[in-house]
Amino acid sequence: MESPKINHMQLTWTDLANITRCIMVTKKQYVSRSIREGNSLAQCILSFPFFGNVPFESPVGTVQLHPDSSRPPLAIPWLDEVGICFGNFYKDESPWVYCPRDFLMRQQQILEKRGIQIEVGFELEFYLLKSDDTPVDSTVLAETKSFQGKIWSVISGIIKAMEMFGIPIWQYHAESGPGQFEISIGPFTDSMVEAADGLVLARQTIYNIAAQYDMKATFLPKPFIGVVGSACHTHISLKRNPIPNLFEGSVEGEYFTAGILRHLPSMLVVLAPTPNSYDRIQPRTWSGAFQCVGSENKEAAIRLVKNRKVWKRIEIKTPDGTSNPYLMLGCLIGAGIDGMTQGYSLPPEINVDPASLQKGSQPPRLPATLAEAIDISRKSNFMSELLGKNLMDLILTIRQAELDYWTSTDESAENKFQTLLTRY
């Protein structure tokens, strides 16, 4: 243990509903037992829906959560003497088929076998709310007044804590909605698992620092009707020695992008997993509602980011803050790999607002509801092969249960929305 101030360890994972959970052990227990043997948990531990405590995996049997001892524990700024460590799940001493972290590791390994290095970054959009769930201010995009008073204490506290975790920070500013902010993190240039860990840490940091100032942070995609939603735009760049940029110096960048574009509809149950996600993914809201690419086109599902007309990276606009970071990033990488394997080509760029085109000229609309996304994923051989049938079936079971809960009349719409707001 590198820090003498750490006397408790928070062993952390994120389940299939993107609820980040933990168990706590003492420093002594972590060193003497957790690293060597792992910690036992019920094998249903990943299968809870966002709305309750009834799992969708068998309660019979156990799995082991093994801390990632390759990285030193990180001191948690808001919890005295507590360090955080992420872990992988094992069943009968083998990687567990349901483990999201292991799934992402495998996707990066496949990419590395091709000699390709990947870098990613994320735009974290979120709302800060008062105790009555109303926005903390009424400012607009990048307005300087957004950093007045206690709000600056929250934002600066978040940035300080992220820096303590070693999270690379690009920029931060007020977003378009009242009380909405964006913090861009990255690039993460080595391990994609560390990138996903960093995204989990960043979200937890925002939640906890806001709470210290009696505010609530929410990553819910569409917390308010009539104002902009919140996303987790994901940026990807690729290189292979001696080519520093595969999007400009090789056809592989096009193949990779085309694979993601082709499989976006079937991946939405992972990238945009809640019913509320589809209130955000609407035309003319910069959310990428159409299945197309475009150079610097913020209405395209995939924006081709260019600098002086040189294609530098891609920005996928469909993911949001309710997605599991390991599954989300793993699916994007897996779709890109499939594009390179199959040699998919990109369709012509759409460099206008797709919604402004005549109906017959518009690119395909992405699923407009969670029900549509579930139906497309059920029929997708790609998703079943990528995630494995067991994991894909469990994800679809959870998504269907969450949809059934959302559309049921057993509980008021207000209560169901409040459950979502509480979780995310």
Side-chain angles (χ1 to χ4, degrees):
M1 304 288 289
E2 291 197 353
S3 173
K5 295 182 180 179
I6 294 178
N7 289 314
H8 313 271
M9 286 298 305
Q10 185 183 99
L11 308 185
T12 306
W13 70 93
T14 301
D15 69 15
L16 301 183
N18 192 38
I19 309 299
T20 297
R21 303 174 185 265
C22 73
I23 57 173
M24 303 286 281
V25 297
T26 64
K27 173 182 175 180
K28 180 179 179 180
Q29 174 78 358
Y30 177 78
V31 172
S32 65
R33 187 170 181 180
S34 296
I35 292 177
R36 186 177 71 253
E37 300 177 13
N39 288 78
S40 293
L41 293 163
Q43 72 172 25
C44 60
I45 193 65
L46 296 179
S47 65
F48 294 95
F50 72 74
F51 60 84
N53 285 314
V54 179
F56 288 92
E57 178 64 7
S58 171
V60 179
T62 60
V63 291
Q64 304 296 315
L65 178 64
H66 285 262
D68 183 352
S69 58
S70 67
R71 300 169 60 194
L74 299 171
I76 299 178
W78 55 86
L79 292 178
D80 291 340
E81 299 185 347
V82 179
I84 187 170
C85 183
F86 295 91
N88 287 27
F89 284 99
Y90 286 76
K91 175 76 173 175
D92 299 328
E93 300 184 359
S94 296
W96 195 29
V97 294
Y98 297 118
C99 179
R101 207 166 181 267
D102 183 72
F103 165 69
L104 176 55
M105 290 173 64
R106 287 185 277 116
Q107 298 312 305
Q108 183 171 9
Q109 288 167 0
I110 294 170
L111 198 62
E112 288 177 342
K113 287 181 180 178
R114 293 174 172 265
I116 295 175
Q117 297 170 276
I118 181 172
E119 297 182 0
V120 300
F122 308 103
E123 299 176 21
L124 285 82
E125 296 174 342
F126 59 96
Y127 277 84
L128 288 176
L129 309 177
K130 302 174 187 176
S131 58
D132 62 357
D133 295 337
T134 59
V136 294
D137 67 23
S138 57
T139 58
V140 294
L141 177 65
E143 188 174 0
T144 55
K145 288 189 294 184
S146 62
F147 290 129
Q148 289 180 344
K150 191 160 64 169
I151 296 176
W152 174 243
S153 298
V154 174
I155 298 300
S156 62
I158 289 169
I159 298 304
K160 180 179 179 180
M162 285 187 182
E163 289 180 329
M164 291 177 67
F165 281 135
I167 297 171
I169 301 166
W170 175 244
Q171 64 181 21
Y172 38 103
H173 58 86
E175 255 295 349
S176 300
Q180 188 186 32
F181 293 85
E182 177 186 303
I183 300 176
S184 298
I185 62 173
F188 295 89
T189 60
D190 186 15
S191 164
M192 291 303 97
V193 167
E194 288 188 21
D197 290 346
L199 183 52
V200 173
L201 281 174
R203 289 174 180 168
Q204 294 302 306
T205 298
I206 292 167
Y207 282 136
N208 282 278
I209 300 301
Q212 289 183 344
Y213 291 88
D214 299 319
M215 297 182 193
K216 299 179 185 178
T218 179
F219 294 92
L220 199 62
K222 195 75 169 179
F224 305 107
I225 301 300
V227 297
V228 298
S230 295
C232 182
H233 299 163
T234 300
H235 293 252
I236 296 178
S237 60
L238 302 172
K239 63 182 178 180
R240 179 203 282 121
N241 289 333
I243 304 172
N245 176 12
L246 289 185
F247 291 117
E248 191 66 25
S250 168
V251 294
E252 287 176 299
E254 176 183 349
Y255 295 160
F256 186 91
T257 306
I260 294 176
L261 183 68
R262 182 186 183 93
H263 296 301
L264 261 183
S266 62
M267 291 192 293
L268 283 193
V269 292
V270 169
L271 308 184
T274 65
N276 184 261
S277 299
Y278 299 84
D279 293 331
R280 181 187 76 87
I281 304 176
Q282 297 291 325
R284 292 180 167 153
T285 60
W286 291 17
S287 60
F290 291 90
Q291 190 180 3
C292 64
V293 300
S295 295
E296 299 301 340
N297 186 350
K298 293 182 179 295
E299 285 290 347
I302 300 179
R303 178 169 72 104
L304 311 183
V305 182
K306 296 188 176 182
N307 183 4
R308 297 179 181 177
K309 298 183 179 181
V310 176
W311 182 9
K312 292 290 189 179
R313 64 183 188 273
I314 57 174
E315 176 192 17
I316 303 98
K317 301 186 72 67
T318 43
D320 65 45
T322 64
S323 63
N324 178 298
Y326 308 95
L327 296 179
M328 179 267 284
L329 193 51
C331 282
L332 291 176
I333 294 172
I337 292 170
D338 186 61
M340 291 190 292
T341 301
Q342 302 298 331
Y344 295 134
S345 296
L346 284 173
E349 291 185 29
I350 303 295
N351 289 320
V352 297
D353 180 355
S356 70
L357 300 172
Q358 296 292 326
K359 289 292 184 181
S361 302
Q362 289 179 353
R365 176 80 161 83
L366 289 174
T369 65
L370 180 57
E372 289 182 33
I374 290 172
D375 185 57
I376 291 172
S377 289
R378 278 204 177 104
K379 299 173 182 176
S380 171
N381 291 330
F382 165 76
M383 287 294 283
S384 183
E385 292 172 1
L386 176 66
L387 288 155
K389 187 176 185 306
N390 290 337
L391 178 53
M392 189 65 230
D393 285 351
L394 183 55
I395 290 172
L396 288 173
T397 297
I398 296 170
R399 292 294 94 81
Q400 185 64 57
E402 291 169 339
L403 177 61
D404 292 345
Y405 165 79
W406 193 252
T407 56
S408 74
T409 58
D410 296 339
E411 192 172 337
S412 70
E414 182 179 352
N415 284 348
K416 288 185 285 189
F417 177 80
Q418 192 62 42
T419 297
L420 265 183
L421 191 63
T422 300
R423 290 289 172 269
Y424 303 113

